[in-house]
């Protein structure tokens, strides 16, 4: 064992020291087009862990990079040394009583911070497009901004305090007087030098003015030198130098933000102009509006950007008819009241009056319309990525120009892209700040193409710096991408000042070397990430990492991004004739066995990739002939399989009654769960008068009965509610032999699963009189599969959807006090039917508890039995979340999928059941007996 690894294992638990080839590659991949494979990934959960990593790195002369979510685009979150992965121990949140400040750990996702601030009408200032996945550590370390925050509300401007660990392992808490006093005693030399640098810089009139000028527009090129002119106290200077330092000066272990107001009233307008110059003239007029009339955001889209999204549903038809010189501005206004919002809308009309537009300006206050506009704007980058040729990389560069020069700069940039042959490129950006992003595709597998990229980047830098004195990086951070050009933008005097700062904080060069300060003129052309063709269903992946917060296996084994990265590497090795090595063996468990296949990743993916589809395909290829035969027999004799499963449950309960659940779990490898359901049974058809409705009891409810003795079977409960509402349930003929095929599909048996779906379709068609009678199913995953299978031929309702639409108007409900725990499973989330579920539940109960930090439960059909650690990991925050919101406990839990409910019950001790049980209890003629 290398000394570095040996030293780390002395201070960190084994599961926090990752050395296998698969995860070093997968965990070391960020959203940039660079790749370095770390020697070791060290998961840090505390400041002691971080100090141990720094000590080991220094003693072994090995670089260390602190990594949060890895959504960074410029190569600043990778390492060929130690990758210190920030763990959940740093996902801390503390809100001031008046919500004016929030103290958060670097492991908190920015979007989650805002979700918690929303009830207080507040948010954090930075609003990067990646905020749903990016973590606070990266947001602050890159001084990320976004569409609305501009330069006034970024991390630098809204910083209230921080706690930082330096390369020597020392800590400074700028909000703690005792910590400041101790640091002044122990690091007097460092603070003295900062004081001297600040005084020298402020006394150098030319340099000080140069710094102020550079930060009047967005700028994340190099260090935050404005700290030297904005502050005199060396503690303040140190704190603000950390912002935007990309982990090269220290590790911020906690950050306190001044929160900003989140205005409740919003309106957006998508305004089309005949040309770029007209659009930019509108921006120039909007920029100087007084504060009470100021717009919140102005996004510019050039004609190629509009082409990339013009076929998105809901967009105005005129977008497809625009001339080739056209452009658009997406303008948003926000206010604290409806009247103030109208004043701002009127101010926009007044400001733009006289500028030619393709059609009159029309603002919308409809949330769905506004959300669609912004989704389309955010979809421009991935739209190019999705259309790129397989094997190429999608690049997004990030520059800023003085706003008065924006039109000329945009036209020059378009011309430069065409000159170098990037005809697919698009330009969009935060026009109010002069901040432009340009997106293009690049083949890094061809030396001639790399040379083209090099020549293009040289010309871009000359354009931005020499012609317009702009910023080479406005909000994405310098990283490795622009490190060779920092001196070109800033000049030698300022660049030398940055070098002095780096040496002062990190004399041994341990912290993220090669980032921000890099004297290698070709650094931006080295360590380029390969993007080989792997599987057509995931080749469009741009490795942004937006999927990761939703994935139930993330940080247990692999996330969707990491699965795709790994499959690409395995494909590359296969194409090169290389042996897959241990990666192939490890991927079987980490990539395939522990993927829930829930598809939630597709809801966050900018190009809609469902990595579960990849998993199902690869599982199918892995199956041997014997396994295929068994699965095929299951599909052909499903009634017998169901009977055998129920018998197994009966025997299991008999054995556990003698040996106990603990021993039973050990003997079954974890498949036996706490409060394992009793054997289920098929319901008998209720022959009553009423409006006909076809009810298909899914196999989950037929095999797995209730968890509590004496409770009714699911099929009986559903029928009781239907009858009570005046419906006459019709069960499909031979329903006990039928299944939608979901269980075989999840194992990769696509053809056999399709046969099962077809058989069920025939039975449902017959029972529903070819679709005349509505069809209801009682498990969301099965409903979702058949809704997709039968789309356009037969309408299928999940039970909660039918209950919302058809049963609520007919039932008289007595609301219960609760609290009742709600789990919205992944099928409901993907279908967008979660609002109906919440409305249905609200009609039944007064207090609903939805714990934070829970996405998919990870049960994944049978995954909860086969790899129970996936279910436990996915629900690791559930128990604490329930207790936080309902300290006295919940009366029960509800969901809409029987297997999900089994895992939820096992992990919490709360009895989770179908929402049908609650609806039945609340609709009884007599007093409700409760959950």
């Amino acid at each position: 064992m290398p000394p570095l690894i040996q030293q780390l294992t002395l201070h960190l638990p084994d599961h926090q020291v990752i050395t296998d080839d698969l995860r070093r590659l997968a965990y070391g991949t960020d959203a940039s087009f660079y790749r370095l494979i770390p020697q070791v990934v060290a998961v840090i959960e505390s400041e002691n862990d971080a100090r141990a990593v720094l000590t080991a790195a220094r003693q072994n002369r090995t670089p260390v990079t602190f990594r949060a979510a890895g959504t960074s685009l410029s190569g600043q979150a990778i390492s060929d040394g130690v990758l210190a992965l920030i763990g959940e121990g740093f996902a801390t949140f503390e809100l001031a009583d008046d919500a004016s400040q929030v103290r958060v750990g670097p492991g908190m996702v920015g979007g989650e911070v805002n979700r918690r601030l929303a009830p207080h009408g507040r948010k954090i200032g930075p609003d990067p497009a990646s905020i749903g996945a990016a973590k606070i550590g990266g947001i602050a370390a890159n001084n990320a901004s976004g569409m609305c925050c501009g330069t006034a509300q970024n991390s630098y401007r809204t910083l209230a305090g921080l706690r930082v660990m330096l390369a020597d392992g020392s800590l400074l808490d700028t909000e703690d007087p005792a910590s400041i006093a101790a640091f002044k005693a122990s690091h007097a030399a460092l603070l003295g030098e900062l004081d001297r640098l600040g005084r020298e810089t402020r006394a150098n009139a030319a340099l000080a003015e140069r710094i102020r000028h550079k930060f009047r527009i967005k700028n994340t090129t190099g260090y935050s030198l404005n700290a030297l002119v904005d502050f005199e106290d060396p503690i303040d200077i140190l704190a603000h130098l950390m912002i935007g330092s990309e982990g090269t000066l220290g590790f911020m272990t906690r950050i306190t933000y001044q929160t900003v107001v989140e205005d409740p009233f919003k309106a957006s307008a998508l305004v089309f102009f005949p040309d770029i110059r007209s659009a930019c003239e509108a921006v120039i007029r909007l920029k100087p509006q007084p504060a009470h009339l100021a717009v919140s955001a102005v996004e510019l889209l050039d004609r190629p950007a509009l082409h990339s999204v013009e076929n998105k549903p809901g967009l105005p038809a005129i977008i497809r008819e625009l001339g080739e010189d056209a452009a658009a501005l997406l303008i948003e206004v926000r206010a604290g009241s409806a009247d103030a919002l109208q004043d701002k809308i009127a101010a926009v009309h007044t400001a733009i009056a006289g500028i030619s537009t393709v059609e009159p300006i029309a603002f919308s206050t409809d949330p769905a319309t506004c959300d669609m506009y912004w989704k389309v704007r955010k979809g421009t980058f991935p739209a190019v990525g999705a259309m790129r040729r397989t094997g190429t990389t999608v690049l997004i560069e990030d520059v800023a120009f003085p706003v008065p020069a924006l039109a000329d700069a945009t036209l020059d940039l378009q011309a430069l892209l065409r000159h170098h042959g990037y005809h697919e490129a698009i330009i969009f950006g935060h026009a109010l700040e002069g901040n432009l992003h340009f997106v293009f595709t690049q083949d890094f597998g061809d030396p001639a193409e790399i040379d083209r990229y090099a020549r293009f980047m040289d010309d871009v830098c000359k354009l931005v710096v020499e012609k317009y004195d702009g910023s080479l990086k406005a909000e994405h951070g310098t990283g490795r991408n622009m490190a060779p050009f920092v001196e070109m933008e800033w000049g030698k005097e300022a660049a030398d000042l940055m070098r002095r700062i780096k040496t002062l904080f990190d004399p041994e060069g341990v912290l993220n070397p090669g980032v921000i300060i890099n004297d290698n003129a070709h650094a931006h052309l080295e360590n380029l990430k390969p993007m080989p063709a792997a599987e057509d269903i995931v080749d469009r992946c741009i490795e942004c990492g937006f999927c990761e917060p939703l994935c139930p296996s993330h940080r247990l084994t692999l996330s969707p991004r990491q699965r795709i990265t790994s499959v690409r590497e395995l494909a590359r090795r296969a194409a090169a004739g290389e042996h897959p090595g241990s990666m192939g063996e490890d991927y079987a468990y980490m990539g395939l066995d522990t993927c829930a296949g829930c598809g939630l990743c597709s809801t966050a993916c900018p190009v809609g990739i469902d990595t579960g589809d990849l998993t199902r395909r690869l599982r199918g290829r892995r199956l041997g002939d014997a396994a295929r035969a068994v699965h095929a027999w299951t599909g052909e004799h499903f009634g017998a399989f169901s009977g055998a499963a129920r018998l197994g449950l009966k025997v299991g309960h008999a054995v556990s009654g003698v040996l106990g659940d603990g021993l039973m779990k050990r003997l079954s490898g974890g498949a036996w769960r706490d409060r394992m359901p009793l054997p289920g049974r098929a319901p008998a058809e209720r022959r009553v008068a009423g409006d006909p409705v076809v009810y298909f009891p899914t196999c989950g409810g037929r095999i797995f009965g209730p968890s509590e003795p004496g409770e009714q079977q699911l099929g009986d409960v559903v029928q009781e509610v239907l009858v009570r509402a005046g419906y006459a349930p019709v069960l499909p003929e031979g329903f006990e032999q039928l299944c939608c095929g979901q269980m075989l599909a999840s194992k990769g048996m696509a053809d056999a699963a399709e046969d099962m779906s077809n058989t069920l379709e025939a039975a449902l068609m017959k029972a529903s009189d070819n679709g005349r009678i509505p069809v209801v199913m009682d498990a969301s995953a099965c409903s979702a599969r058949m809704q997709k299978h039968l789309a356009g031929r037969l309408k299928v309702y999940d039970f909660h959807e039918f209950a919302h639409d058809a049963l609520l108007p007919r039932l008289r409900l007595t609301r219960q006090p609760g609290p009742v725990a709600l789990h919205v499973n992944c099928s409901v989330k993907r279908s967008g039917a979660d609002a109906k579920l919440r409305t249905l539940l609200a009609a039944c109960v007064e207090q609903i508890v939805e714990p934070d930090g829970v996405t998919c439960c990870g049960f994944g059909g049978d995954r909860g039995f086969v790899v129970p650690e996936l279910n436990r990991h996915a629900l690791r925050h559930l128990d604490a979340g329930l207790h936080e919101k309902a300290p006295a406990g919940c009366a029960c839990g509800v969901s809409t999928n029987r297997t999900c409910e089994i895992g939820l019950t096992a992990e919490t001790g709360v009895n989770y059941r179908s929402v049908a049980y609650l609806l039945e209890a609340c609709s009884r003629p007599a007093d409700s007996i409760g959950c």
Side-chain angles (χ1 to χ4, degrees), residues 312-479:
K312 297 283 186 182
L315 280 176
I318 195 172
I319 195 173
R320 292 183 286 276
E321 302 167 7
L322 297 171
E324 290 308 302
D325 294 327
L329 294 180
L330 175 52
I331 305 171
E332 180 170 281
V333 291
R334 300 179 177 184
S337 68
D339 289 343
L341 186 72
Q342 291 305 316
D343 289 343
K344 288 191 173 186
I345 291 173
V348 171
H349 283 276
T350 300
I352 300 181
I355 297 177
S356 177
T357 59
V358 175
E359 58 182 8
I361 302 171
F363 275 91
S364 173
T365 56
D366 174 50
T369 300
C370 295
D371 186 54
M372 182 268 295
Y373 285 161
W374 284 98
K375 281 184 177 177
V376 166
R377 155 57 189 87
K378 292 178 181 179
T380 50
F381 168 40
V384 175
M387 294 184 292
R388 75 186 190 279
R389 177 170 54 84
T390 300
T392 62
T393 299
V394 59
L395 275 66
I396 179 169
E397 290 295 346
D398 164 47
V399 297
F401 300 99
V403 173
L406 189 59
D408 288 335
T410 305
L411 292 169
D412 284 347
L413 195 52
Q414 286 179 325
L416 199 59
L417 286 160
R418 289 193 298 268
H419 174 73
H420 286 276
Y422 294 107
H423 299 291
E424 78 291 354
I426 67 171
I427 297 175
F428 60 87
H430 318 315
L432 210 60
E433 304 298 331
N435 180 193
L436 295 182
H437 303 306
F438 51 102
V439 182
F440 57 100
T441 60
Q442 176 68 46
D443 184 353
F444 284 131
D446 181 346
E449 283 292 287
I450 295 175
D451 182 62
R452 175 172 71 130
Y453 172 71
R455 287 183 280 108
F456 171 65
M457 288 305 297
D458 286 344
D459 285 350
V460 166
C461 292
K462 291 174 184 176
L463 174 71
V464 174
V465 173
E466 296 178 3
K467 185 169 184 179
Y468 292 104
D469 195 17
S471 306
L472 292 172
K473 280 296 179 183
E475 60 180 5
H476 292 172
T478 309

Side-chain angles (χ1 to χ4, degrees), residues 551-553 557-558 563 589-598 611-613 615-616 619 746 858 860 863 867 870:
C551 178
S553 65
T557 51
L558 300 178
R563 287 185 168 89
Y589 172 75
M590 295 186 189
L592 301 183
D593 292 346
T594 54
C595 177
C598 63
T611 311
D613 290 339
T615 295
R616 287 181 280 273
R619 282 177 182 165
S746 68
R863 295 294 90 189
V867 281
L870 174 61

